[in-house]
Amino acid sequence: MSCIFCRIVEGEIPAEVVAREPEVTAFLDVQPLADGHVLVVPRAHAACIEDLEPPAADALFRTVVRLAGPVREALGAAGTTIGVNNGEATGQTVPHVHVHIVPRWPDDGAGTIHTIFPRTVKRSLADVGSAIRRAVG
Ligand code: 5GP
Ligand code: ZN
């Protein structure tokens, strides 16, 4: 098994685990962006969100919801930024789905999700909306 997160889930390599459930493991990021930076991962290996089976997706996001408050409270944070780099093109470095929970404080100097995009919009909302509705089916 070469996937580092599969190996953490199986307990083959150490990690600072904060929650272990049958289908989901949560542990501290080894290079935290802030104190309390947690990664929540499904047990089943899947590279991207769209590769997750529905039960794994349910379990993953249930755990994210369950941990968001305790992570914030444990660190005395004001909020959390929760995000997923979904696919290599987005900068995802570990190809096993993981949800980042990063505690936030009012003057921590970090931005919002909006600050990672330069806003390169070329199409109308109506055009994009109909394209996505067609794809969703
Ligand atoms: P990505 O850029 O793929 O969304 O985030 C991957 C994250 O995994 C990074 O923040 C990185 O610090 C973390 N990471 C990579 N390898 C390990 C590891 O072996 N152990 C832990 N705990 N975190 C890791
Ligand atoms: Zn894996």
Side-chain angles (χ1 to χ4, degrees), residues 1-22:
M1 195 187 341
S2 62
C3 171
I4 191 111
F5 286 178
C6 282
R7 298 184 70 192
I8 287 174
V9 168
E10 297 303 325
E12 289 182 11
I13 60 171
E16 191 64 37
V17 173
V18 297
R20 197 184 286 284
E21 299 169 356

Side-chain angles (χ1 to χ4, degrees), residues 4-5 8 27-31 37 39 85 91-94 98 100:
I4 191 111
F5 286 178
I8 287 174
F27 52 91
L28 296 186
D29 194 298
V30 77
Q31 289 188 293
H37 181 173
L39 302 175
N85 291 320
Q92 181 182 1
T93 57
V94 178
H98 49 283
H100 295 259

Side-chain angles (χ1 to χ4, degrees), residues 44-123:
H45 180 90
C48 295
I49 289 278
E50 46 269 58
D51 298 331
L52 283 173
E53 295 295 335
D58 289 351
L60 178 65
F61 283 94
R62 263 201 312 273
T63 305
V64 170
V65 170
R66 187 167 82 80
L67 293 184
V71 168
R72 179 175 47 73
E73 286 161 18
L75 276 300
T80 51
T81 291
I82 297 176
V84 177
N85 291 320
N86 192 40
E88 198 178 350
T90 70
Q92 181 182 1
T93 57
V94 178
H96 180 134
V97 174
H98 49 283
V99 179
H100 295 259
I101 302 178
V102 188
R104 298 294 306 272
W105 291 266
D107 297 316
D108 61 14
T112 70
I113 285 174
H114 292 77
T115 62
I116 66 176
F117 292 92
R119 238 174 157 255
T120 52
V121 175
K122 302 184 188 75
R123 294 166 60 176

